[in-house]
Amino acid sequence: MAKKAKAGTQAGVRAMLPTMPHFLKVLGPGLITGASDDDPSGIATYSQTGAQFGYAPSWTLLYSYPLMVAIQIISAELGRTTGRGIAGNLRKFYPKSVVYGCVSLLLAANVINVGADIGAMADAVRVLIGGPQIVYVLTFGVICVVAEVYLSYDRYVVVLKWLTLALFAYLATLFFVKVDWSTLARSLVVPHVSFDKDYLTAIVAILGTTISPYLFFWQASEEVEDIRDVPKRKALKDAPRQTEAATARIRQDTFVGMGLSNLVALSIMMTAAATLHVNGITQIESSAQAAQALKPLAGVMAETIFALGIVGTGLLAVPVLAGSAAYAVGETLRWPTGLDRKPMHAKAFYATIAIATLIGVGLNFSPINPIRALYWSAVINGVVAVPIMAMMMLMAVQPRIMGKNTIGAGLRAFGWLSTAVMTLTAAAMLVTSFL
């Protein structure tokens, strides 16, 4: 009897725990959003920071994790609860000046990011196999537009999930470098504070690439897409019975996605600190240059893995950047939006995706240096995030927008703390720059 009871208990526990296939199925918008956060712009930022300051700024990736998770959960719950993206909610409940201001800032930052990311992907391929970089720029631009416009939503999500595997390239790179684990541990736990202009700019760049406006818009809009894609799902405002299960899924998805994002970011920074910084290489102009610099220090395999990771993460991030811009513009102007729609039924939405991507491609033909734009796009994102985060927080606590599903005290605290940290960091950078 005892054995039967024990077996029954174990079976009950196993039934309560999510199976691996179920766990993987739960992962979606949060996983893709987190993975797209480590785009070539982010890789360049983490590489430059690690090369310039060693392990010192690594604490930002530990302490920013709960802030990043909170603000992404809030954005996801805004979409899942209201059935509208962030721009759609802004348009319905706030003056046009607020909506156009937020969307314009997002659009400018995203287009710069798209151009810089496509340039970095092309540069990485040139490092691996040679050839004309400009041909690779055009090729990647076309691939990203065609995939996003012509793949059905369910197939496209599967492609994006598989592309998240590219992130593991940076975990693999750690096997080829010698990390100072004791210094890393101290730097992770004890924040290194400095009012040096370059250091503060680096901190803003790190926060700007981990807490980025396009991530808010994308995850909220993908929750809306999932409502349309899964017939049983409805906006939580209209279907309160679905709240508990939906909230649990969103939080599990977001915790995993953002955890993977910051773990990979830390791996990139560690790689640069352990190889470039200790050998006196403190200036990295691009993610591809970081890959090249690894070759004499950590071997050909480290260079190859690092460069392949740039291509994989770029293929994931560029459609997310262009897509989040299209969602924001489309919701603001009341266009039919959504990757689940056929191109002929959402012409303006898909045209915005194509135009944003092509302008990004065009930046690589202009006097604007896309390599330097990689780093500064992260800084721009850090500044742009502040007003958008403030508006999200105001929306998430209002019953007229969220119904009975306004965010709880814990999310409010961490959401406002995240907004305050981004505000203070951006302000400190601007003040020290002028002084």
Side-chain angles (χ1 to χ4, degrees), residues 170-191:
Y170 300 106
L171 299 177
T173 307
L174 288 176
F175 289 100
F176 300 93
V177 302
K178 186 178 180 181
V179 177
D180 186 342
W181 294 105
S182 60
T183 302
L184 173 65
R186 286 195 303 273
S187 299
L188 270 175
V189 177
V190 182

Side-chain angles (χ1 to χ4, degrees), residues 57-284:
S58 59
W59 61 272
T60 55
L61 297 170
L62 177 64
Y63 288 95
S64 67
Y65 175 65
L67 307 180
M68 184 184 185
V69 167
I71 206 71
Q72 288 302 142
I73 288 175
I74 291 167
S75 67
E77 290 189 2
L78 267 169
R80 185 69 175 86
T81 300
T82 64
R84 290 183 296 272
I86 292 171
N89 280 303
L90 286 171
R91 174 185 53 77
K92 184 171 183 179
F93 295 103
Y94 291 92
K96 287 184 178 180
S97 58
V98 174
V99 185
Y100 292 158
C102 290
V103 172
S104 297
L105 290 172
L106 173 79
L107 190 59
N110 280 21
V111 168
I112 293 171
N113 231 9
V114 166
D117 283 355
I118 290 176
M121 293 158 64
D123 203 23
V125 174
R126 183 187 57 77
V127 166
L128 290 173
I129 62 175
Q133 180 179 355
I134 212 67
V135 172
Y136 302 139
V137 166
L138 294 171
T139 301
F140 282 128
V142 170
I143 289 172
C144 290
V145 170
V146 169
E148 202 157 8
V149 172
Y150 290 104
L151 279 182
S152 63
Y153 175 70
D154 52 349
R155 290 183 180 179
Y156 189 62
V157 168
V158 171
V159 170
L160 292 180
K161 281 186 178 182
W162 277 107
L163 283 172
T164 62
L165 295 176
L167 296 179
F168 289 97
Y170 300 106
L171 299 177
T173 307
L174 288 176
F175 289 100
F176 300 93
V177 302
K178 186 178 180 181
V179 177
D180 186 342
W181 294 105
S182 60
T183 302
L184 173 65
R186 286 195 303 273
S187 299
L188 270 175
V189 177
V190 182
H192 173 74
V193 179
S194 169
F195 292 99
D196 173 72
K197 180 184 72 173
D198 292 337
Y199 185 77
L200 283 175
T201 302
I203 298 301
V204 174
I206 292 171
L207 293 175
T209 200
T210 53
I211 304 176
S212 296
Y214 76 89
L215 302 177
F216 316 151
F217 282 81
W218 175 263
Q219 192 164 353
S221 295
E222 288 313 287
E223 288 294 334
V224 178
E225 288 271 15
D226 282 353
I227 292 173
R228 292 200 292 254
D229 193 52
V230 181
K232 292 182 180 179
R233 288 184 183 173
K234 299 188 181 303
L236 299 182
K237 197 174 180 180
D238 303 321
R241 291 183 179 181
Q242 298 182 12
T243 299
E244 186 176 352
T247 301
R249 176 190 58 78
I250 286 171
R251 297 188 180 193
Q252 183 180 16
D253 186 19
T254 305
F255 270 102
V256 172
M258 302 308 130
L260 177 61
S261 173
N262 276 23
L263 179 61
V264 170
L266 180 61
S267 299
I268 296 167
M269 193 180 294
M270 289 163 60
T271 299
T275 55
L276 309 181
H277 182 74
V278 298
N279 285 281
I281 301 172
T282 60
Q283 290 297 319
I284 294 295

